Amino acid sequence: DAGVTQSPTHLIKTRGQHVTLRCSPISGHKSVSWYQQVLGQGPQFIFQYYEKEERGRGNFPDRFSARQFPNYSSELNVNALLLGDSALYLCASSLGVSQTQYFGPGTRLLVL
Amino acid sequence: GENVEQHPSTLSVQEGDSAVIKCTYSDSASNYFPWYKQELGKGPQLIIDIRSNVGEKKDQRIAVTLNKTAKHFSLHITETQPEDSAVYFCAASGVTGGGNKLTFGTGTQLKVEL
């Protein structure tokens, strides 16, 4: 069975640009969460979506936004990229809001 | 909000020895405590989890203990093998109006030496 998939695997952008990251959850999972992992640190929560509705938001600026589609896949958008946005962006899927979260391989974003 | 502290930051053991990683959390409302293993260049992989109504859980060489009173939980790996070498993260969460946010510790780099 396929696990959580994310695309692209790597991405290089320049400051001020916009980026869209994509995630497909495990089949049957209806909740997707996004995390940012800076090198050497643990992942930090950005958003959680369930049934296309935002269920939680972490302490990130409004430049970060997300949405979930009817097929439960999700996009994370980041506007006006800063050097500090360079990180591994992880998507996690779960059956529901309170169930175990399974992570994808991540998208490594480098902002120059 | 929740704060999770994890120790040690690095741990080196000989193959076959046991390894213990400890975490403390601050929010008494947290009720779910997963442990993830992250290998270089990969996403975190769930290895074991425990909910607050259970004090201990074991899966082969891996066990987790939870002390709700002390707000403390630990990962125990017995008979360590070289393939156990990775970064391990503890996390805590509780479903609130803000969703099921996992708050992670800072990670422990485990190295199993031959």
Side-chain angles (χ1 to χ4, degrees):
Chain A
D1 286 344
V4 178
T5 59
Q6 293 186 243
S7 63
T9 56
H10 296 82
L11 204 51
I12 299 175
K13 292 285 189 179
T14 56
R15 281 178 296 173
Q17 285 190 312
H18 160 271
V19 69
T20 297
L21 310 180
R22 296 177 175 83
C23 171
S24 291
I26 294 169
S27 177
H29 285 198
K30 297 182 178 181
S31 181
V32 168
S33 300
W34 287 95
Y35 291 81
Q36 180 196 65
Q37 186 177 25
V38 175
L39 198 62
Q41 297 182 19
Q44 287 209 305
F45 174 76
I46 310 175
F47 288 109
Q48 183 179 42
Y49 277 77
Y50 176 71
E51 292 277 17
K52 297 181 291 180
E53 291 192 1
E54 181 183 302
R55 288 301 191 95
R57 173 186 285 255
N59 189 24
F60 280 80
D62 291 344
R63 300 184 295 106
F64 289 77
S65 63
R67 55 179 175 167
Q68 186 177 32
F69 299 99
N71 66 353
Y72 305 112
S73 66
S74 177
E75 282 183 356
L76 175 70
N77 294 283
V78 186
N79 292 324
L81 285 167
L82 303 174
L83 295 179
D85 294 331
S86 295
L88 180 67
Y89 288 85
L90 295 162
C91 172
S93 82
S94 54
L95 281 168
V97 171
S98 61
Q99 274 68 47
T100 301
Q101 295 184 25
Y102 298 92
F103 284 85
T107 293
R108 188 161 295 282
L109 173 64
L110 177 61
V111 182
L112 301 176
Chain B
E2 176 66 277
N3 181 52
V4 176
E5 295 189 358
Q6 182 173 347
H7 300 281
S9 56
T10 61
L11 180 59
S12 186
V13 299
Q14 293 293 314
E15 183 181 8
D17 287 351
S18 295
V20 180
I21 303 171
K22 299 181 179 182
C23 289
T24 59
Y25 62 98
S26 62
D27 189 351
S28 57
S30 290
N31 59 8
Y32 175 63
F33 308 92
W35 286 87
Y36 290 88
K37 173 184 180 183
Q38 188 171 27
E39 297 177 271
L40 198 62
K42 297 184 178 180
Q45 175 192 4
L46 179 75
I47 55 171
I48 196 167
D49 57 5
I50 191 168
R51 297 196 180 268
S52 60
N53 59 345
V54 175
E56 184 173 356
K57 184 177 178 181
K58 188 175 181 181
D59 182 5
Q60 299 183 338
R61 298 187 296 110
I62 296 173
V64 57
T65 59
L66 171 65
N67 182 329
K68 286 191 299 182
T69 303
K71 297 181 191 171
H72 170 274
F73 58 114
S74 299
L75 177 71
H76 305 252
I77 306 174
T78 58
E79 301 173 22
T80 54
Q81 302 167 1
E83 51 265 38
D84 294 330
S85 296
V87 179
Y88 290 80
F89 290 98
C90 62
S93 77
V95 180
T96 67
N100 187 24
K101 161 188 173 181
L102 287 175
T103 300
F104 284 82
T106 49
T108 296
Q109 174 76 60
L110 173 64
K111 183 177 180 181
V112 180
E113 298 177 335
L114 297 171

